[in-house]
Amino acid sequence: MADLQKARTDATVGWGESPVSTARLSMELWAAIKDEDWSLASPTSTVSYWPQRLWTMEKPYHFIGDGGGMGIGYCASASAGAALANRKHGRLTVSIQCDGDLLMTNGVLWTAAHHKIPILWVMHNNRGYHQELMHVQRMANRHMRGLDRAHIGTTLREPFIDYAKIAQGMGVAGIGPITDPKDLAPALKRAIAIVKGGEPCLIDVVTQGR
């Protein structure tokens, strides 16, 4: 109970800020799905494990696990596969989808649209390959080279990527980009209605790094 209370307190840091904190993203999603028969089909390390720290997970399919070898582009494809398996059970499949990961296998959006796989992708769009960015920052600091160039090759800017438009181009309902956390709840409500109607949907949420 003490750990849960600490996690709840920690989650309030940056609650109303833009870009959206990963704690706010996770808790808004939880509030939207907790009364459904849901399944989280994405790894959670990139959002600081907030779902495990704050959600109530009581059934085996509530979380399918992390990616093992953590292959490039794993999340988008694995979550679509989980959603396909969940479809016959009428479960609501959700995935917190990293932006860099989706770029590696964005054709899965077309596959979900084509086969009418009901899944909600909620983008963790921190506008970069953040795992790599953090590593370059660590190495630059270790070798006293400064951090001013750590963004080169590790961030996705100039221009920013609009994942809602990518989804729409693949035949998937796309919502966003969302930068104000107050817009998350209504967007999730709209998206869940689409998914429960048997179609895939993606919400592009501009987020903090982790």
Side-chain angles (χ1 to χ4, degrees):
M1 183 58 70
D3 287 343
L4 177 58
Q5 187 55 51
K6 183 179 186 304
R8 287 173 174 169
T9 300
D10 291 346
T12 64
V13 176
W15 186 259
E17 292 182 4
S18 176
V20 180
S21 72
T22 54
R24 180 74 181 262
L25 173 71
S26 299
M27 287 308 291
E28 291 286 1
L29 179 57
W30 170 239
I33 69 170
K34 64 182 181 179
D35 294 326
E36 306 284 348
D37 186 24
W38 58 272
S39 176
L40 177 62
S42 58
T44 58
S45 60
T46 56
V47 289
S48 301
Y49 300 102
W50 285 116
Q52 281 96 331
R53 295 162 69 184
L54 294 170
W55 297 14
T56 301
M57 297 183 179
E58 300 174 321
K59 298 178 181 178
Y61 56 81
H62 276 167
F63 179 54
I64 70 167
D66 282 322
M70 301 303 289
I72 293 174
Y74 164 83
C75 180
S77 301
S79 59
L84 180 61
N86 283 329
R87 183 171 64 181
K88 66 182 178 182
H89 300 290
R91 292 180 191 137
L92 174 63
T93 303
V94 297
S95 173
I96 302 174
Q97 175 64 52
C98 294
D99 53 343
D101 177 272
L102 183 61
L103 289 181
M104 304 301 156
T105 54
N106 59 31
V108 71
L109 298 171
W110 180 89
T111 299
H114 179 73
H115 292 289
K116 297 188 181 301
I117 300 174
I119 177 172
L120 171 57
W121 282 292
V122 181
M123 292 300 300
H124 169 28
N125 179 6
N126 55 27
R127 293 175 165 170
Y129 301 107
H130 201 73
Q131 184 82 5
E132 289 70 26
L133 173 61
M134 291 188 298
H135 181 67
V136 172
Q137 288 173 331
R138 283 194 297 268
M139 292 300 101
N141 186 59
R142 180 177 299 177
H143 296 286
M144 294 182 288
R145 294 177 178 172
L147 303 178
D148 58 305
R149 292 180 293 170
H151 68 279
I152 298 172
T154 61
T155 57
L156 298 165
R157 61 195 198 191
E158 298 176 358
F160 294 132
I161 298 171
D162 188 328
Y163 292 92
K165 284 186 177 178
I166 291 177
Q168 291 162 9
M170 295 283 189
V172 172
I175 301 171
I178 290 174
T179 57
D180 188 334
K182 294 192 297 293
D183 295 333
L184 257 177
L188 285 164
K189 182 177 180 180
R190 176 184 164 198
I192 288 171
I194 292 170
V195 176
K196 290 175 75 172
E199 301 284 345
C201 184
L202 179 148
I203 303 177
D204 185 7
V205 185
V206 180
T207 52
Q208 297 176 16
R210 283 293 176 99

